[in-house]
Amino acid sequence: METELRGMDGNLLGNQQIDQKVGNENATTELENTVTSFGIVNVKSFGAIGDGLSHPLSTFYLTLDSAKSVYPHAQSLTDEIDWCAIQAAMTKAKDQTYGPTRGGTVYIPSGRYIINRALVAENISLYGDKQSATLSFTELGVGASAITMQRTTGKRFVWSDITLVGPGWAGGDYVIGTKSALCDGLRITGTCMPLLENITIQRFNNGINVANEAGHIKLFHCHIEYNYYGMYWSRNTGDYSVSYSSINQNAFANFATSATVGIEGLSIRDSHVGYSPFSFYCEPEQNQGGKNQFMLDVNLDHARFEQVGNAAIYADPSFDSHPRITSMKIKNPGFSWDVDKANRFTLPSYPRNYAIDIGRVEDGDIVIESDSYPFTPGQINMMRVRSQVAPAQITLLGKGMDPSKIEVVGGVARVQAGSSVKLTKNGIDERTPRRFSRDDHPNDVWEEDITLDGASGTQYRMSRITDGTRREIFVVSTNNDMRIKRPILLDGLFNPARSSTVLPNPREGSIYIDTSNTGYECIRTYLGASWIRKGRGILPTSGTWNRGDYIENSNIVVNGDLGSKYVVRGWLRLTSSSNNALGTDWLEDKIMTGM
């Protein structure tokens, strides 16, 4: 295949230079086959550069037709080669088949890639080098999304270790309450149910636009910051999870929706949701006779509302919409106004009257359990409810909470202040169990209580009582050990402990991430009364290793001559020492390819 490929000086490149620059079908076939045979598509195999500089196709091709012979989706010679290459890799991966469903995995090496058009990611997983794989997008226009995630097959996706940077606030700090970008960051559509891990999205209109029809979106250790809205629900189908993340410092709100859509089944755990005018914001819509929805079955556990400008939770009352909140639990909010930040996150055009200012409470209770940093009053009070419909209840738990902190404007006010669960009585170790059941299943009861653990300790116990028979689920002993009494089925990732020293008191099957050798994160498993360590990377030249350790090669390439080609799968450790000589301390694990 012939192409008119030019170097940066404008001169035509020779065949060898062409192969090195972006490649042609003959030059890249072996590399592509090598990579995709392991289920990974590397964007560098398709010509991505990732040096943070602009590389339009006109730098390499004389005509659009010659460019389209390599990148059929190219639309102009002004298109960036990074965009062309990454879209080509995504298209390649979506047609791979592993098992019963289609879709492969795209790998983005370390670098900053310049993207001038929207990317479509269909049926693929995506991952990059940790904290160093960045896609930098130019302005794509109103309604466009930097990446649209699609799904046509039954596979769930995992995206990890990627940073998306939009065109907003170029060269300066973001400005509260303003939109600096027209396009969105990631738009999730169709039946996608992705897990996003260590994903950073910055400087877009909506950082994430939730528009899928399947819900079940999980964020773990993600950073969605410096957008207008952090996450925006344009469609709501329920079940969303945010853990150990920062949906933080967005110009208007960190989480937002409209009163005709709402947010259902959202669970937030140990995450930061502050440093913004509004943590949660509901856009106003015309009143639909009480059908407008803001939140349904929302659980916020250690969601830290720090440095809030106008309100932690705010339903805009314009158009008399008053959207409903049905069943919401908030535990340990870690709240503060932005007073010590000189009101940096406060919009003067919006009120700052209440920490929580919502429309209707109906068909489900609100429970707020405060810690050392409870919700505190704004200019008027802590919380306002414009309408409350019986039998919905509002309960305040924790120090200093009382019904006077809540204003109920209309409807039936049902507000009570309680306390945390009492575990002792008159200084005596007495069990005070809490039991939970449904009216339609009175013989199926869940119970949590405190029991004795030895002569002087106590333990926490969770049990299930069915037809009078108690079955323990788990207990936490007096020394804080947790013993789980039933099988564990995980629908999400399991993240073991990390340590640079050998963890004490192992049991058969114990596992942790070993970080004792710089540059290597290894899985260490205790089997057969000894630790087994396995990692991934290049041949170690430093560090202390044990006999039997194994390092899987992270840079698989085909070597050798025709008929005797091979790949190095990894290296097996022969000695226990800090020496690292190949052939003495490390044995090369070589596999013949048969080619």
Side-chain angles (χ1 to χ4, degrees), residues 383-460:
M383 180 174 177
R384 178 175 70 168
V385 178
R386 295 170 215 140
S387 177
Q388 185 174 358
V389 180
Q393 181 87 28
I394 301 174
T395 301
L396 301 177
L397 303 174
K399 183 178 179 180
M401 293 288 98
D402 63 79
S404 67
K405 294 181 179 293
I406 299 179
E407 297 179 12
V408 178
V409 178
V412 179
R414 301 184 75 240
V415 180
Q416 67 178 7
S419 62
S420 298
V421 180
K422 190 174 183 180
L423 303 179
T424 62
K425 184 177 181 180
N426 298 327
I428 301 174
D429 183 11
E430 179 174 314
R431 216 170 53 191
T432 55
R434 284 203 304 182
R435 292 186 175 184
F436 310 89
S437 64
R438 291 173 55 97
D439 292 340
D440 53 352
H441 291 77
N443 294 323
D444 190 0
V445 179
W446 294 88
E447 179 186 85
E448 56 177 341
D449 65 347
I450 300 297
T451 63
L452 291 175
D453 184 13
S456 60
T458 62
Q459 66 180 12
Y460 171 85

Side-chain angles (χ1 to χ4, degrees), residues 51-107:
D51 62 359
L53 302 176
S54 174
H55 297 284
L57 290 176
S58 59
T59 305
F60 308 103
Y61 296 93
L62 290 177
T63 66
L64 180 59
D65 286 340
S66 61
K68 289 173 72 69
S69 67
V70 179
Y71 302 112
H73 51 282
Q75 301 178 38
S76 169
L77 286 177
T78 61
D79 287 341
E80 294 286 345
I81 199 166
D82 282 343
W83 170 74
C84 292
I86 293 174
Q87 185 61 71
M90 290 179 171
T91 302
K92 175 75 174 179
K94 80 179 181 69
D95 294 325
Q96 292 180 327
T97 301
Y98 297 96
T101 58
R102 287 192 302 113
T105 298
V106 172
Y107 167 59

